[in-house]
Amino acid sequence: MRHKIEFHIKKRYNNQVWQGKWGDIIKKFTIKGEYITLAQFLKEESVISSGGQAKWYLKENPVKLNSELEDRRGKKIHAGDVLNLAGEEYEFVSE
């Protein structure tokens, strides 16, 4: 099962999101099915090479899901969730 990622460049200004030439890159990650676990996502994005590495990665690297720190590798990510990982922001959408 492969997931699709789209890149959108948006500029944030006064808590509004503006599409523009410059600004933050927000990656849209398409979920096939109801959800994807945090460990599956990390593998899909090639952040880790195996699911077993997720536990150690999450201990050492801050990951925010919907603005809250998350360290559970089995955490289910659904469409509408926003994840911040290593300075990058991902928005999850359903297929």
Side-chain angles (χ1 to χ4, degrees):
M1 177 175 2
R2 301 297 290 169
H3 298 276
K4 183 174 87 177
I5 294 182
E6 296 177 23
F7 295 94
H8 295 275
I9 298 177
K10 296 182 179 179
K11 188 174 183 182
R12 294 185 181 276
Y13 180 73
N14 289 340
N15 294 328
Q16 295 181 353
V17 178
W18 300 89
Q19 297 223 359
K21 190 172 178 182
W22 298 279
D24 299 332
I25 295 177
I26 300 173
K27 298 180 181 181
K28 291 213 179 230
F29 189 91
T30 302
I31 299 174
K32 291 187 177 186
E34 188 178 334
Y35 65 87
I36 185 171
T37 66
L38 184 51
Q40 289 170 330
F41 171 74
L42 293 173
K43 281 177 49 180
E44 190 72 30
E45 281 296 287
S46 301
V47 175
I48 58 173
S49 58
S50 72
Q53 291 178 335
K55 179 180 178 180
W56 305 110
Y57 179 85
L58 293 170
K59 267 187 166 181
E60 297 174 7
N61 300 283
V63 174
K64 286 189 173 186
L65 181 62
N66 300 323
S67 300
E68 295 187 19
L69 283 176
E70 185 58 66
D71 63 355
R72 298 174 289 175
R73 62 183 177 187
K75 176 65 177 169
K76 295 177 183 176
I77 302 172
H78 297 89
D81 287 342
V82 177
L83 183 97
N84 291 62
L85 167 72
E88 295 184 0
E89 186 172 311
Y90 294 86
E91 289 181 4
F92 293 85
V93 295
S94 61
E95 188 175 42

